[in-house]
Amino acid sequence: MASNILVLIGLSVFFAVIIWSFWYEFSANRALPKAGEMVKTTYGHIHLISRGQHREKGRQPLVLIHGSTTNALDMDLEIAGRLEKDRLVLMPDRPGHGFSHRAEDGFRLDVQAAAIREAVKIKTKEKPVIMGQSYGAAVALRYALDYPDEVAGIVLIAPVSHRWPGGVAWYNRVALNPIYGWIFRRTFIALYGRFGSPKGVAKALRGSQFSQSYHARTRVPLTFRPSRFYNNAEDIVRLYEQLAAMEHRYGTIRVPVEIVAGTHDMTVVISIHARRLEDQIEQAQLRVVDAGGHALHHTHPEETVAAIARVDTRLANNERSPLQGALRRLTSVFPRSA
């Protein structure tokens, strides 16, 4: 009799958590509205945040592509505000994340790059500089490989770019399981998103001025909605095979590339990814942040902004002829008039 009561209580709690998870998902959608506009593409609507309008001479539009387990507001929090005064800054939710729709095979890097490209081309006809962090760097690389004539330069922050030893975190594979994955996402992941993620995020961003406010300001609960968590897990689990197929093509990239990576990044190890990229891409330059971790765009935002500035400078220098460059260096030694 007692065992039957325990089973009944257990089942009641189980179903209560599942019902609560639907309420949690509904409330997250309602309480955390879109921060940008929905742009229609052939791959579904892409949620796109735009900052800035004026473009100074030599300042290309900038596209910021976020990494895993987050959305476009991750880029808006620290970086966009530093750059929007003199250029157009575009921040998309990657397909299947935030509020962007997920096309069939939306985990594929080429599909994500194509969807973002269409949204960008609707907003600007200029060649953009593409910046990606972590998984977003893989999308940025695919963008440059598939549309080489439509990219002015690339900035890669803690990039994932090559095959790595080992696998992926266990919960990503569990979340995709066709038998019990749905239950896992509706119970464990939903509960973690509500009660565990605030502390987890603060710990991961230790050293950033936004470590305590990041969870609310970037709407982290959106990531732990069951459908979005599935998409995130699928991206990660299916990434290795795609990098294996494209990593030999990086040598074809001919635009300025700036890479920033940290010595203490245990998520994307610098020797496996960033250093190999530097060796493969002729115009790649790597800046190493001593003791830097994975979220460099938050813990060391000045390094990210400096990398973008270096791309701007390299693009400006490339636009000048050798004679123009010599005259510029010559006249720079004379004092400017008031």
Side-chain angles (χ1 to χ4, degrees):
M1 182 67 177
S3 61
N4 291 338
I5 294 175
L6 289 176
V7 169
L8 182 61
I9 291 174
L11 288 174
S12 298
V13 171
F14 173 75
F15 285 111
V17 170
I18 290 179
I19 293 171
W20 170 84
S21 75
F22 281 98
W23 174 85
Y24 175 68
E25 183 174 20
F26 171 79
S27 63
N29 289 336
R30 185 173 182 178
L32 305 172
K34 301 176 181 67
E37 61 181 305
M38 300 300 292
V39 179
K40 185 178 181 180
T41 75
T42 55
Y43 299 90
H45 286 81
I46 295 295
H47 180 232
L48 188 67
I49 302 173
S50 302
R51 297 283 184 262
Q53 293 294 331
H54 174 64
R55 174 181 176 268
E56 285 188 355
K57 185 177 181 181
R59 302 280 185 176
Q60 303 298 127
L62 182 64
V63 179
L64 307 180
I65 305 178
H66 66 85
S68 299
T69 324
T70 187
N71 56 69
L73 286 170
D74 176 71
M75 292 294 176
D76 193 33
L77 180 64
E78 184 79 65
I79 303 302
R82 297 171 181 248
L83 302 165
E84 63 180 344
K85 294 180 180 178
D86 55 16
R87 73 199 311 158
L88 177 64
V89 182
L90 301 173
M91 295 162 285
D93 281 337
R94 289 192 292 106
H97 300 271
F99 290 100
S100 289
H101 295 169
R102 181 85 155 188
E104 186 177 359
D105 292 337
F107 67 89
R108 287 170 38 186
L109 294 174
D110 60 329
V111 172
Q112 295 201 22
I116 292 172
R117 168 187 173 258
E118 282 195 26
V120 168
K121 287 178 72 68
I122 290 172
K123 299 296 291 185
T124 178
K125 302 305 179 185
E126 307 260 6
K127 285 185 181 181
V129 171
I130 310 294
M131 190 196 98
Q133 189 269 339
S134 188
Y135 187 101
V139 179
L141 286 165
R142 188 61 193 240
Y143 195 126
L145 290 171
D146 289 354
Y147 312 103
D149 297 329
E150 298 181 20
V151 175
I154 309 171
V155 179
L156 305 173
I157 309 299
V160 56
S161 55
H162 292 76
R163 290 169 288 177
W164 63 91
V168 299
W170 63 271
Y171 48 79
N172 290 307
R173 293 196 178 279
V174 172
L176 299 183
N177 187 280
I179 299 174
Y180 49 78
W182 183 88
I183 295 174
F184 177 72
R185 298 193 307 274
R186 281 285 168 197
T187 55
F188 180 86
I189 294 302
L191 288 169
Y192 177 80
R194 172 61 181 84
F195 300 104
S197 63
K199 290 184 179 179
V201 167
K203 182 179 179 181
L205 294 178
R206 187 180 299 142
S208 167
Q209 64 172 320
F210 296 110
S211 60
Q212 298 301 321
S213 60
Y214 180 94
H215 189 274
R217 294 183 63 172
T218 64
R219 306 174 185 181
V220 170
L222 294 173
T223 300
F224 292 96
R225 294 171 295 174
S227 62
R228 289 317 192 228
F229 193 86
Y230 179 94
N231 293 339
N232 191 76
E234 186 179 37
D235 284 349
I236 294 171
V237 170
R238 303 298 298 273
L239 179 60
Y240 185 97
E241 64 196 53
Q242 298 181 78
L243 295 180
M246 79 179 204
E247 60 185 22
H248 68 282
R249 298 174 55 197
Y250 296 146
T252 64
I253 295 175
R254 294 289 183 263
V255 298
V257 179
E258 290 287 336
I259 308 169
V260 182
T263 58
H264 287 43
D265 187 345
M266 296 296 102
T267 303
V268 179
V269 180
I270 186 173
S271 60
I272 296 174
H273 303 276
R275 293 198 184 282
R276 293 176 67 186
L277 270 178
E278 183 186 30
D279 291 339
Q280 285 182 263
I281 302 176
E282 182 179 351
Q283 294 198 53
Q285 296 181 358
L286 170 62
R287 296 296 192 278
V288 177
V289 179
D290 187 39
H294 190 57
L296 292 172
H297 57 313
H298 294 305
T299 60
H300 296 77
E302 67 284 350
E303 296 288 351
T304 298
V305 174
I308 295 168
R310 288 194 296 271
V311 167
D312 289 339
T313 299
R314 293 170 66 183
L315 289 173
N317 289 337
N318 288 340
E319 288 177 358
R320 291 193 292 267
S321 69
L323 178 59
Q324 287 175 312
L327 288 173
R328 183 181 179 89
R329 289 190 294 272
L330 179 63
T331 57
S332 66
V333 303
F334 297 103
R336 295 177 182 271
S337 57

